[in-house]
Amino acid sequence: MRAVTNYHIWTIGCQMNEADARRLGDELDVVGFAPAESAEDADLVVLYSCVVRQAAENKVHNQLMRLREVKRRRPDYKIVLAGCLAGEETAALQRAYPFVDLFVSPKADISLRNQILDLLDLDQRYRQEPEGAQRAPGVSAGVTIHQGCNRRCTYCIIPFRRGPERSRRPAEIRAEIEGLVQRGTREVVLLSQIVERYGWDLQPRTTLAELLTLLNEIEGLERIRFLTSYPVDFGTDLIEAVATLPKVCEDINLPIQAGDDTVLRRMARGYKVADYLRLVEALRARIAEVAISTDIIVGFPGETAAQFENTLRVMEQVRWDVVHVAMYSPRPGTVAATWPDDVPKAEKKRRLHAVEELQREIAAQINARLVGRTVEVLVEGQKDGKWYGRTRSNKLTFFPHPEPLAGELVQVRITEASPWALQGELVRRQPAAPRPTQIPLYLSA
Ligand code: SF4
């Protein structure tokens, strides 16, 4: 009998790290490894790291320092560093973290599971004989479909760490999702840094719209989401796919980053505010009740107070459902990091709070319109005695019910709304009625 290897996976950062960690966990379970509650209880720990902001990189460093202490006590302890920090020069990383056993760059196409088996010196049987039982995945699971990015936004470190764009084959993605559905997943979130570029590198070439059409056929799968979108790549074929494929949710994550053309040009985003607004108009004209979220960076080098005010004006114009806002922080190796980081920290914070405050008002108004309506919710779990799940438009919704409901599609009548979540009562447990195709709920002001 094999000795069981206990593993622990620690993640930080984007949903792609979470999805990759879930997939690695599945692969390790199949070959008979067992998940450990904590890094200290494990024989092997894998860190999926993030360097998008300095704060995330600091957390990875702190975690590595904690693991160094474990390794001092237990020399057989194995530490694997994956994710974007490992995309850097391995020699420099080896000097900084000599106690790490394996660095796995996200640019590498070799299976992480096989590299781990090599590291542990485990024989060929592990590669061939499924032995372990896989844990149930979440009701909603992320699935990476495309890695890397060929663009060069001036503030962004990702292309350097994740490398050029590579798509996974449609059949491989479909097989992974069918496996998840068999184990209880009802919704998948297709992940990529730049999701509309999916399939351009494949032979034969394919598109995200074609992939969505293929995945829409999977029996037992209820919902499909995808992110992150890029404004100039979002084509009419994709708008049609979202509008017509029943499982594809009306939920688009479309980062604008700044609402000022000069700042956008310095970010090298490749579009103007007017291009973005045209796309929002096209989405809202064709897709009933589409929810659109965005990302905004405040305090980019050279961003004046007036340019920042333009971002607030665009927020009032577009009225996004959700805004993820972050203060600019220079990432060594990027073009913007060679420019003076000239917006003082206090001013960055002021801009951040101004975006948050305005968005709180807008989201409160958008969500208040749902009070009294009945919406379809996919139930994900229970918290503080209430069930929670998300609407097709990705609104977190809570409601009480005495029976188990996880994984079910239910109809919930909304009784209360806040900027962040909805409260309601269960109306029925049957699948939703056909989607409305007429009037958008919230038009731009
Ligand atoms: S599109 Fe720009 S922001 Fe997004 S990953 Fe690529 S370089 Fe970074």
Side-chain angles (χ1 to χ4, degrees), residues 176-231:
E176 181 181 343
I177 296 175
E178 283 172 342
L180 288 167
V181 169
Q182 275 169 17
R183 288 155 55 216
T185 293
R186 293 289 167 264
E187 170 184 287
V188 288
V189 186
L190 309 180
L191 301 171
S192 158
Q193 308 299 153
I194 185 153
V195 72
E196 290 80 14
R197 300 271 306 166
Y198 173 78
W200 288 39
D201 54 323
L202 292 178
Q203 285 299 336
R205 191 161 146 166
T206 183
T207 64
L208 178 62
E210 286 164 353
L211 179 70
L212 291 171
T213 306
L214 178 80
L215 302 181
N216 190 65
E217 291 167 7
I218 296 177
E219 217 165 299
L221 181 66
E222 302 287 357
R223 290 177 172 182
I224 306 168
R225 304 183 193 274
F226 59 88
L227 53 88
T228 301
S229 287
Y230 199 81

CSV table of all heavy atoms in Angstrom, one decimal, residues 176-231:
chain,number,residue,atom,x,y,z
A,176,GLU,N,-13.3,18.5,-18.6
A,176,GLU,CA,-13.1,19.0,-17.2
A,176,GLU,C,-14.5,19.4,-16.7
A,176,GLU,O,-14.8,19.1,-15.5
A,176,GLU,CB,-12.1,20.1,-17.2
A,176,GLU,CG,-11.9,20.5,-15.7
A,176,GLU,CD,-10.9,21.7,-15.5
A,176,GLU,OE1,-10.2,22.0,-16.4
A,176,GLU,OE2,-11.0,22.3,-14.4
A,177,ILE,N,-15.2,20.2,-17.4
A,177,ILE,CA,-16.5,20.7,-16.9
A,177,ILE,C,-17.5,19.5,-16.7
A,177,ILE,O,-18.2,19.5,-15.7
A,177,ILE,CB,-17.1,21.8,-17.8
A,177,ILE,CG1,-16.1,23.0,-17.8
A,177,ILE,CG2,-18.5,22.2,-17.4
A,177,ILE,CD1,-16.5,24.1,-18.8
A,178,GLU,N,-17.5,18.6,-17.7
A,178,GLU,CA,-18.4,17.4,-17.5
A,178,GLU,C,-18.1,16.6,-16.2
A,178,GLU,O,-19.0,16.2,-15.5
A,178,GLU,CB,-18.4,16.5,-18.7
A,178,GLU,CG,-19.1,17.0,-19.9
A,178,GLU,CD,-18.9,16.3,-21.2
A,178,GLU,OE1,-18.0,15.5,-21.3
A,178,GLU,OE2,-19.8,16.5,-22.1
A,179,GLY,N,-16.8,16.5,-15.9
A,179,GLY,CA,-16.4,15.9,-14.7
A,179,GLY,C,-16.9,16.6,-13.4
A,179,GLY,O,-17.3,16.1,-12.5
A,180,LEU,N,-16.7,18.0,-13.5
A,180,LEU,CA,-17.2,18.8,-12.4
A,180,LEU,C,-18.7,18.7,-12.2
A,180,LEU,O,-19.2,18.6,-11.1
A,180,LEU,CB,-16.9,20.3,-12.6
A,180,LEU,CG,-15.4,20.7,-12.5
A,180,LEU,CD1,-15.2,22.1,-13.1
A,180,LEU,CD2,-15.0,20.6,-11.1
A,181,VAL,N,-19.5,18.7,-13.3
A,181,VAL,CA,-20.9,18.6,-13.2
A,181,VAL,C,-21.3,17.2,-12.6
A,181,VAL,O,-22.2,17.2,-11.8
A,181,VAL,CB,-21.5,18.8,-14.6
A,181,VAL,CG1,-23.0,18.4,-14.6
A,181,VAL,CG2,-21.4,20.2,-15.1
A,182,GLN,N,-20.6,16.2,-13.0
A,182,GLN,CA,-20.9,14.8,-12.4
A,182,GLN,C,-20.8,14.8,-10.9
A,182,GLN,O,-21.4,14.1,-10.2
A,182,GLN,CB,-20.0,13.8,-13.0
A,182,GLN,CG,-20.5,13.2,-14.3
A,182,GLN,CD,-19.5,12.4,-15.0
A,182,GLN,OE1,-18.5,11.9,-14.4
A,182,GLN,NE2,-19.7,12.2,-16.3
A,183,ARG,N,-19.9,15.7,-10.4
A,183,ARG,CA,-19.6,15.8,-8.9
A,183,ARG,C,-20.3,16.9,-8.3
A,183,ARG,O,-20.1,17.2,-7.1
A,183,ARG,CB,-18.1,15.9,-8.7
A,183,ARG,CG,-17.4,14.6,-9.1
A,183,ARG,CD,-15.9,14.8,-9.5
A,183,ARG,NE,-15.2,15.5,-8.5
A,183,ARG,CZ,-14.2,16.5,-8.7
A,183,ARG,NH1,-13.9,16.7,-10.0
A,183,ARG,NH2,-13.6,17.1,-7.8
A,184,GLY,N,-21.3,17.6,-8.9
A,184,GLY,CA,-22.1,18.5,-8.2
A,184,GLY,C,-22.1,19.9,-8.7
A,184,GLY,O,-22.9,20.8,-8.2
A,185,THR,N,-21.1,20.3,-9.5
A,185,THR,CA,-21.0,21.7,-10.0
A,185,THR,C,-22.2,22.0,-10.9
A,185,THR,O,-22.6,21.2,-11.7
A,185,THR,CB,-19.7,22.0,-10.7
A,185,THR,OG1,-18.6,21.8,-9.7
A,185,THR,CG2,-19.6,23.3,-11.3
A,186,ARG,N,-22.8,23.2,-10.7
A,186,ARG,CA,-23.9,23.6,-11.6
A,186,ARG,C,-23.6,24.9,-12.4
A,186,ARG,O,-24.3,25.2,-13.3
A,186,ARG,CB,-25.1,23.9,-10.7
A,186,ARG,CG,-25.7,22.7,-10.0
A,186,ARG,CD,-26.4,21.8,-11.0
A,186,ARG,NE,-26.7,20.5,-10.5
A,186,ARG,CZ,-26.0,19.4,-10.7
A,186,ARG,NH1,-24.9,19.5,-11.4
A,186,ARG,NH2,-26.3,18.2,-10.2
A,187,GLU,N,-22.5,25.6,-12.0
A,187,GLU,CA,-22.1,26.8,-12.7
A,187,GLU,C,-20.6,26.8,-12.9
A,187,GLU,O,-19.9,26.4,-12.0
A,187,GLU,CB,-22.5,28.0,-11.9
A,187,GLU,CG,-22.0,29.3,-12.4
A,187,GLU,CD,-22.3,30.5,-11.5
A,187,GLU,OE1,-23.5,30.9,-11.4
A,187,GLU,OE2,-21.4,31.0,-10.8
A,188,VAL,N,-20.2,27.2,-14.1
A,188,VAL,CA,-18.7,27.4,-14.3
A,188,VAL,C,-18.4,28.8,-14.7
A,188,VAL,O,-19.2,29.5,-15.3
A,188,VAL,CB,-18.1,26.4,-15.4
A,188,VAL,CG1,-18.1,25.0,-14.8
A,188,VAL,CG2,-18.9,26.5,-16.7
A,189,VAL,N,-17.3,29.3,-14.2
A,189,VAL,CA,-16.8,30.6,-14.6
A,189,VAL,C,-15.6,30.4,-15.4
A,189,VAL,O,-14.5,29.9,-14.9
A,189,VAL,CB,-16.5,31.5,-13.3
A,189,VAL,CG1,-16.1,32.9,-13.8
A,189,VAL,CG2,-17.6,31.5,-12.3
A,190,LEU,N,-15.6,30.7,-16.7
A,190,LEU,CA,-14.5,30.5,-17.6
A,190,LEU,C,-13.5,31.6,-17.4
A,190,LEU,O,-13.9,32.8,-17.5
A,190,LEU,CB,-15.0,30.4,-19.1
A,190,LEU,CG,-16.1,29.5,-19.3
A,190,LEU,CD1,-16.5,29.5,-20.8
A,190,LEU,CD2,-15.8,28.0,-18.9
A,191,LEU,N,-12.2,31.3,-17.2
A,191,LEU,CA,-11.3,32.3,-16.7
A,191,LEU,C,-10.2,32.5,-17.8
A,191,LEU,O,-9.6,31.5,-18.3
A,191,LEU,CB,-10.6,31.8,-15.4
A,191,LEU,CG,-11.6,31.6,-14.3
A,191,LEU,CD1,-10.9,31.0,-13.1
A,191,LEU,CD2,-12.3,32.9,-13.9
A,192,SER,N,-9.8,33.7,-17.9
A,192,SER,CA,-8.7,34.1,-18.8
A,192,SER,C,-8.4,35.6,-18.4
A,192,SER,O,-9.2,36.3,-18.0
A,192,SER,CB,-9.1,34.0,-20.2
A,192,SER,OG,-8.3,34.8,-21.1
A,193,GLN,N,-7.1,36.0,-18.7
A,193,GLN,CA,-6.8,37.4,-18.5
A,193,GLN,C,-7.5,38.3,-19.5
A,193,GLN,O,-7.8,39.4,-19.3
A,193,GLN,CB,-5.3,37.6,-18.6
A,193,GLN,CG,-4.4,36.8,-17.8
A,193,GLN,CD,-4.6,36.9,-16.4
A,193,GLN,OE1,-4.3,35.9,-15.6
A,193,GLN,NE2,-5.1,38.0,-15.9
A,194,ILE,N,-7.8,37.7,-20.7
A,194,ILE,CA,-8.3,38.4,-21.8
A,194,ILE,C,-9.2,37.5,-22.6
A,194,ILE,O,-8.7,36.9,-23.6
A,194,ILE,CB,-7.1,39.1,-22.5
A,194,ILE,CG1,-7.5,40.0,-23.6
A,194,ILE,CG2,-6.1,38.1,-23.0
A,194,ILE,CD1,-6.5,41.1,-23.9
A,195,VAL,N,-10.4,37.2,-22.1
A,195,VAL,CA,-11.1,36.0,-22.5
A,195,VAL,C,-11.6,36.0,-24.0
A,195,VAL,O,-11.7,34.9,-24.5
A,195,VAL,CB,-12.3,35.9,-21.5
A,195,VAL,CG1,-13.4,36.9,-21.7
A,195,VAL,CG2,-12.8,34.5,-21.5
A,196,GLU,N,-11.7,37.2,-24.6
A,196,GLU,CA,-12.2,37.2,-26.0
A,196,GLU,C,-11.1,36.7,-26.9
A,196,GLU,O,-11.3,36.4,-28.1
A,196,GLU,CB,-12.6,38.6,-26.4
A,196,GLU,CG,-13.9,39.1,-25.8
A,196,GLU,CD,-13.6,39.6,-24.4
A,196,GLU,OE1,-12.5,39.8,-24.0
A,196,GLU,OE2,-14.7,39.7,-23.7
A,197,ARG,N,-9.8,36.6,-26.4
A,197,ARG,CA,-8.7,36.1,-27.2
A,197,ARG,C,-8.7,34.6,-27.3
A,197,ARG,O,-7.8,34.0,-27.9
A,197,ARG,CB,-7.4,36.7,-26.7
A,197,ARG,CG,-7.3,38.2,-26.7
A,197,ARG,CD,-6.8,38.7,-28.0
A,197,ARG,NE,-5.6,38.2,-28.3
A,197,ARG,CZ,-5.0,38.3,-29.5
A,197,ARG,NH1,-5.7,38.9,-30.5
A,197,ARG,NH2,-3.8,37.7,-29.8
A,198,TYR,N,-9.6,34.0,-26.5
A,198,TYR,CA,-9.6,32.5,-26.5
A,198,TYR,C,-9.7,31.9,-27.9
A,198,TYR,O,-10.5,32.4,-28.7
A,198,TYR,CB,-10.8,32.0,-25.7
A,198,TYR,CG,-10.9,30.5,-25.8
A,198,TYR,CD1,-10.1,29.7,-25.1
A,198,TYR,CD2,-11.8,29.9,-26.7
A,198,TYR,CE1,-10.1,28.3,-25.3
A,198,TYR,CE2,-11.8,28.5,-26.9
A,198,TYR,CZ,-10.9,27.7,-26.2
A,198,TYR,OH,-10.9,26.4,-26.4
A,199,GLY,N,-8.9,30.9,-28.2
A,199,GLY,CA,-9.0,30.2,-29.5
A,199,GLY,C,-8.3,30.7,-30.6
A,199,GLY,O,-8.2,30.0,-31.7
A,200,TRP,N,-7.7,31.9,-30.6
A,200,TRP,CA,-7.1,32.5,-31.7
A,200,TRP,C,-5.8,31.8,-32.1
A,200,TRP,O,-5.3,31.8,-33.2
A,200,TRP,CB,-6.7,34.0,-31.5
A,200,TRP,CG,-7.9,34.9,-31.5
A,200,TRP,CD1,-9.2,34.6,-31.0
A,200,TRP,CD2,-8.0,36.2,-32.0
A,200,TRP,NE1,-10.0,35.6,-31.1
A,200,TRP,CE2,-9.3,36.7,-31.8
A,200,TRP,CE3,-7.1,37.0,-32.6
A,200,TRP,CZ2,-9.8,37.9,-32.2
A,200,TRP,CZ3,-7.5,38.3,-33.0
A,200,TRP,CH2,-8.8,38.7,-32.8
A,201,ASP,N,-5.2,31.1,-31.1
A,201,ASP,CA,-3.9,30.4,-31.3
A,201,ASP,C,-4.2,28.9,-31.6
A,201,ASP,O,-3.2,28.2,-31.8
A,201,ASP,CB,-3.1,30.5,-30.1
A,201,ASP,CG,-3.8,30.0,-28.8
A,201,ASP,OD1,-5.0,30.3,-28.7
A,201,ASP,OD2,-3.1,29.4,-27.9
A,202,LEU,N,-5.4,28.4,-31.6
A,202,LEU,CA,-5.6,27.0,-31.9
A,202,LEU,C,-5.8,26.7,-33.4
A,202,LEU,O,-6.1,27.6,-34.2
A,202,LEU,CB,-6.9,26.6,-31.2
A,202,LEU,CG,-6.9,26.6,-29.6
A,202,LEU,CD1,-8.3,26.2,-29.1
A,202,LEU,CD2,-5.8,25.7,-29.1
A,203,GLN,N,-5.5,25.5,-33.7
A,203,GLN,CA,-5.7,25.0,-35.1
A,203,GLN,C,-6.7,23.8,-35.0
A,203,GLN,O,-6.4,22.8,-34.4
A,203,GLN,CB,-4.4,24.4,-35.6
A,203,GLN,CG,-3.4,25.5,-36.0
A,203,GLN,CD,-3.9,26.4,-37.1
A,203,GLN,OE1,-4.7,26.0,-37.9
A,203,GLN,NE2,-3.3,27.6,-37.2
A,204,PRO,N,-7.9,23.9,-35.6
A,204,PRO,CA,-8.4,25.1,-36.3
A,204,PRO,C,-8.7,26.2,-35.3
A,204,PRO,O,-9.1,25.9,-34.1
A,204,PRO,CB,-9.7,24.6,-37.0
A,204,PRO,CG,-10.1,23.4,-36.1
A,204,PRO,CD,-8.9,22.8,-35.6
A,205,ARG,N,-8.6,27.4,-35.8
A,205,ARG,CA,-8.9,28.5,-34.9
A,205,ARG,C,-10.4,28.5,-34.5
A,205,ARG,O,-11.3,28.1,-35.2
A,205,ARG,CB,-8.7,29.8,-35.8
A,205,ARG,CG,-8.7,31.1,-35.0
A,205,ARG,CD,-8.0,32.1,-35.8
A,205,ARG,NE,-8.6,33.4,-35.6
A,205,ARG,CZ,-8.1,34.5,-36.0
A,205,ARG,NH1,-7.0,34.5,-36.6
A,205,ARG,NH2,-8.7,35.7,-35.7
A,206,THR,N,-10.6,28.9,-33.2
A,206,THR,CA,-12.0,28.9,-32.7
A,206,THR,C,-12.2,30.2,-31.9
A,206,THR,O,-11.3,31.0,-31.8
A,206,THR,CB,-12.3,27.7,-31.9
A,206,THR,OG1,-13.7,27.7,-31.5
A,206,THR,CG2,-11.4,27.6,-30.6
A,207,THR,N,-13.4,30.4,-31.4
A,207,THR,CA,-13.7,31.7,-30.7
A,207,THR,C,-14.4,31.3,-29.4
A,207,THR,O,-14.9,30.2,-29.2
A,207,THR,CB,-14.7,32.5,-31.5
A,207,THR,OG1,-15.9,31.8,-31.7
A,207,THR,CG2,-14.1,32.9,-32.9
A,208,LEU,N,-14.4,32.4,-28.5
A,208,LEU,CA,-15.1,32.2,-27.3
A,208,LEU,C,-16.6,31.9,-27.5
A,208,LEU,O,-17.2,31.1,-26.8
A,208,LEU,CB,-15.0,33.4,-26.4
A,208,LEU,CG,-15.7,33.4,-25.1
A,208,LEU,CD1,-15.2,32.3,-24.2
A,208,LEU,CD2,-15.6,34.8,-24.4
A,209,ALA,N,-17.2,32.6,-28.5
A,209,ALA,CA,-18.6,32.3,-28.8
A,209,ALA,C,-18.9,30.9,-29.2
A,209,ALA,O,-19.8,30.3,-28.7
A,209,ALA,CB,-19.1,33.3,-29.9
A,210,GLU,N,-17.9,30.3,-29.9
A,210,GLU,CA,-18.1,28.9,-30.3
A,210,GLU,C,-17.9,28.0,-29.1
A,210,GLU,O,-18.6,27.0,-29.0
A,210,GLU,CB,-17.1,28.5,-31.4
A,210,GLU,CG,-17.5,29.1,-32.8
A,210,GLU,CD,-16.4,29.1,-33.8
A,210,GLU,OE1,-15.2,28.8,-33.5
A,210,GLU,OE2,-16.7,29.5,-35.0
A,211,LEU,N,-17.0,28.3,-28.2
A,211,LEU,CA,-16.8,27.5,-27.0
A,211,LEU,C,-18.0,27.6,-26.2
A,211,LEU,O,-18.5,26.5,-25.6
A,211,LEU,CB,-15.6,28.0,-26.2
A,211,LEU,CG,-15.3,27.3,-24.9
A,211,LEU,CD1,-14.8,25.9,-25.2
A,211,LEU,CD2,-14.3,28.0,-24.0
A,212,LEU,N,-18.6,28.8,-26.0
A,212,LEU,CA,-19.8,28.9,-25.2
A,212,LEU,C,-20.9,28.0,-25.8
A,212,LEU,O,-21.7,27.4,-25.1
A,212,LEU,CB,-20.3,30.4,-25.1
A,212,LEU,CG,-19.3,31.3,-24.3
A,212,LEU,CD1,-19.7,32.7,-24.5
A,212,LEU,CD2,-19.3,30.9,-22.9
A,213,THR,N,-21.0,28.0,-27.1
A,213,THR,CA,-22.1,27.2,-27.8
A,213,THR,C,-21.9,25.7,-27.5
A,213,THR,O,-22.8,25.0,-27.2
A,213,THR,CB,-22.0,27.4,-29.3
A,213,THR,OG1,-22.1,28.8,-29.5
A,213,THR,CG2,-23.1,26.7,-30.0
A,214,LEU,N,-20.6,25.3,-27.5
A,214,LEU,CA,-20.3,23.9,-27.2
A,214,LEU,C,-20.7,23.6,-25.7
A,214,LEU,O,-21.3,22.5,-25.4
A,214,LEU,CB,-18.8,23.6,-27.4
A,214,LEU,CG,-18.3,22.3,-27.1
A,214,LEU,CD1,-18.6,21.3,-28.3
A,214,LEU,CD2,-16.8,22.3,-26.9
A,215,LEU,N,-20.2,24.4,-24.8
A,215,LEU,CA,-20.5,24.2,-23.4
A,215,LEU,C,-21.9,24.3,-23.0
A,215,LEU,O,-22.4,23.6,-22.0
A,215,LEU,CB,-19.6,25.1,-22.5
A,215,LEU,CG,-18.1,25.0,-22.8
A,215,LEU,CD1,-17.3,26.0,-21.9
A,215,LEU,CD2,-17.5,23.6,-22.6
A,216,ASN,N,-22.7,25.1,-23.7
A,216,ASN,CA,-24.1,25.3,-23.4
A,216,ASN,C,-24.9,23.9,-23.5
A,216,ASN,O,-25.9,23.8,-23.0
A,216,ASN,CB,-24.7,26.3,-24.4
A,216,ASN,CG,-26.1,26.7,-24.1
A,216,ASN,OD1,-26.3,27.3,-23.0
A,216,ASN,ND2,-27.0,26.4,-24.9
A,217,GLU,N,-24.3,23.0,-24.3
A,217,GLU,CA,-24.9,21.7,-24.5
A,217,GLU,C,-24.7,20.7,-23.3
A,217,GLU,O,-25.4,19.7,-23.3
A,217,GLU,CB,-24.3,21.0,-25.7
A,217,GLU,CG,-24.6,21.6,-27.0
A,217,GLU,CD,-23.8,21.0,-28.1
A,217,GLU,OE1,-23.0,20.1,-27.9
A,217,GLU,OE2,-23.8,21.6,-29.2
A,218,ILE,N,-23.9,21.0,-22.4
A,218,ILE,CA,-23.5,20.1,-21.3
A,218,ILE,C,-24.8,19.9,-20.4
A,218,ILE,O,-25.2,20.8,-19.8
A,218,ILE,CB,-22.3,20.5,-20.5
A,218,ILE,CG1,-21.1,20.5,-21.4
A,218,ILE,CG2,-22.1,19.6,-19.3
A,218,ILE,CD1,-19.8,21.0,-20.7
A,219,GLU,N,-25.2,18.6,-20.3
A,219,GLU,CA,-26.4,18.3,-19.5
A,219,GLU,C,-26.0,18.4,-18.0
A,219,GLU,O,-24.9,18.0,-17.6
A,219,GLU,CB,-26.8,16.9,-19.8
A,219,GLU,CG,-28.3,16.8,-19.8
A,219,GLU,CD,-28.8,15.5,-20.4
A,219,GLU,OE1,-28.5,15.3,-21.6
A,219,GLU,OE2,-29.4,14.7,-19.7
A,220,GLY,N,-26.9,19.0,-17.3
A,220,GLY,CA,-26.7,19.2,-15.8
A,220,GLY,C,-26.0,20.5,-15.5
A,220,GLY,O,-26.0,20.9,-14.3
A,221,LEU,N,-25.3,21.1,-16.5
A,221,LEU,CA,-24.7,22.4,-16.2
A,221,LEU,C,-25.8,23.4,-16.4
A,221,LEU,O,-26.6,23.4,-17.4
A,221,LEU,CB,-23.6,22.7,-17.2
A,221,LEU,CG,-22.9,24.0,-17.1
A,221,LEU,CD1,-22.1,24.0,-15.8
A,221,LEU,CD2,-21.9,24.2,-18.2
A,222,GLU,N,-26.0,24.3,-15.4
A,222,GLU,CA,-27.1,25.3,-15.4
A,222,GLU,C,-26.6,26.7,-15.9
A,222,GLU,O,-27.4,27.4,-16.6
A,222,GLU,CB,-27.7,25.5,-14.0
A,222,GLU,CG,-28.2,24.2,-13.4
A,222,GLU,CD,-29.5,23.8,-14.1
A,222,GLU,OE1,-30.0,24.5,-15.0
A,222,GLU,OE2,-30.0,22.7,-13.7
A,223,ARG,N,-25.4,27.1,-15.6
A,223,ARG,CA,-25.0,28.4,-15.9
A,223,ARG,C,-23.5,28.5,-16.3
A,223,ARG,O,-22.7,27.7,-15.8
A,223,ARG,CB,-25.1,29.3,-14.6
A,223,ARG,CG,-26.5,29.6,-14.2
A,223,ARG,CD,-26.5,30.4,-13.0
A,223,ARG,NE,-27.8,30.9,-12.6
A,223,ARG,CZ,-28.0,31.7,-11.6
A,223,ARG,NH1,-27.0,32.1,-10.8
A,223,ARG,NH2,-29.2,32.1,-11.3
A,224,ILE,N,-23.2,29.5,-17.2
A,224,ILE,CA,-21.9,29.7,-17.6
A,224,ILE,C,-21.6,31.2,-17.5
A,224,ILE,O,-22.4,32.0,-18.0
A,224,ILE,CB,-21.6,29.3,-19.1
A,224,ILE,CG1,-22.1,27.8,-19.3
A,224,ILE,CG2,-20.2,29.5,-19.5
A,224,ILE,CD1,-22.2,27.4,-20.8
A,225,ARG,N,-20.5,31.6,-16.9
A,225,ARG,CA,-20.0,32.9,-16.9
A,225,ARG,C,-18.6,33.0,-17.4
A,225,ARG,O,-18.0,31.9,-17.5
A,225,ARG,CB,-20.0,33.5,-15.4
A,225,ARG,CG,-21.2,33.4,-14.7
A,225,ARG,CD,-21.1,34.1,-13.3
A,225,ARG,NE,-22.2,33.7,-12.4
A,225,ARG,CZ,-23.4,34.4,-12.4
A,225,ARG,NH1,-23.6,35.5,-13.2
A,225,ARG,NH2,-24.4,34.0,-11.6
A,226,PHE,N,-18.1,34.1,-17.8
A,226,PHE,CA,-16.7,34.2,-18.3
A,226,PHE,C,-16.2,35.6,-17.9
A,226,PHE,O,-16.9,36.5,-17.8
A,226,PHE,CB,-16.7,34.0,-19.8
A,226,PHE,CG,-17.5,35.0,-20.6
A,226,PHE,CD1,-17.0,36.2,-21.0
A,226,PHE,CD2,-18.8,34.7,-21.0
A,226,PHE,CE1,-17.7,37.1,-21.8
A,226,PHE,CE2,-19.6,35.6,-21.7
A,226,PHE,CZ,-19.0,36.8,-22.1
A,227,LEU,N,-14.9,35.6,-17.7
A,227,LEU,CA,-14.1,36.8,-17.4
A,227,LEU,C,-12.6,36.5,-17.6
A,227,LEU,O,-12.2,35.4,-17.6
A,227,LEU,CB,-14.4,37.4,-16.0
A,227,LEU,CG,-14.3,36.5,-14.8
A,227,LEU,CD1,-12.9,36.5,-14.2
A,227,LEU,CD2,-15.3,36.9,-13.8
A,228,THR,N,-11.8,37.6,-17.9
A,228,THR,CA,-12.1,39.0,-17.9
A,228,THR,C,-12.2,39.5,-19.3
A,228,THR,O,-11.4,39.1,-20.2
A,228,THR,CB,-11.0,39.8,-17.2
A,228,THR,OG1,-10.9,39.3,-15.8
A,228,THR,CG2,-11.1,41.2,-17.2
A,229,SER,N,-13.2,40.4,-19.6
A,229,SER,CA,-13.3,40.9,-21.0
A,229,SER,C,-12.4,42.1,-21.3
A,229,SER,O,-12.1,42.8,-20.4
A,229,SER,CB,-14.8,41.2,-21.2
A,229,SER,OG,-15.6,40.1,-21.3
A,230,TYR,N,-12.2,42.2,-22.6
A,230,TYR,CA,-11.4,43.4,-23.0
A,230,TYR,C,-12.2,44.2,-24.0
A,230,TYR,O,-12.7,43.7,-25.0
A,230,TYR,CB,-10.1,42.9,-23.6
A,230,TYR,CG,-9.0,44.0,-23.7
A,230,TYR,CD1,-8.3,44.3,-22.5
A,230,TYR,CD2,-8.9,44.8,-24.8
A,230,TYR,CE1,-7.4,45.3,-22.5
A,230,TYR,CE2,-8.0,45.9,-24.8
A,230,TYR,CZ,-7.2,46.1,-23.7
A,230,TYR,OH,-6.3,47.2,-23.6
A,231,PRO,N,-12.4,45.5,-23.7
A,231,PRO,CA,-13.3,46.3,-24.5
A,231,PRO,C,-13.2,46.2,-26.0
A,231,PRO,O,-14.2,46.0,-26.7
A,231,PRO,CB,-13.1,47.7,-24.0
A,231,PRO,CG,-12.7,47.5,-22.6
A,231,PRO,CD,-11.8,46.3,-22.6
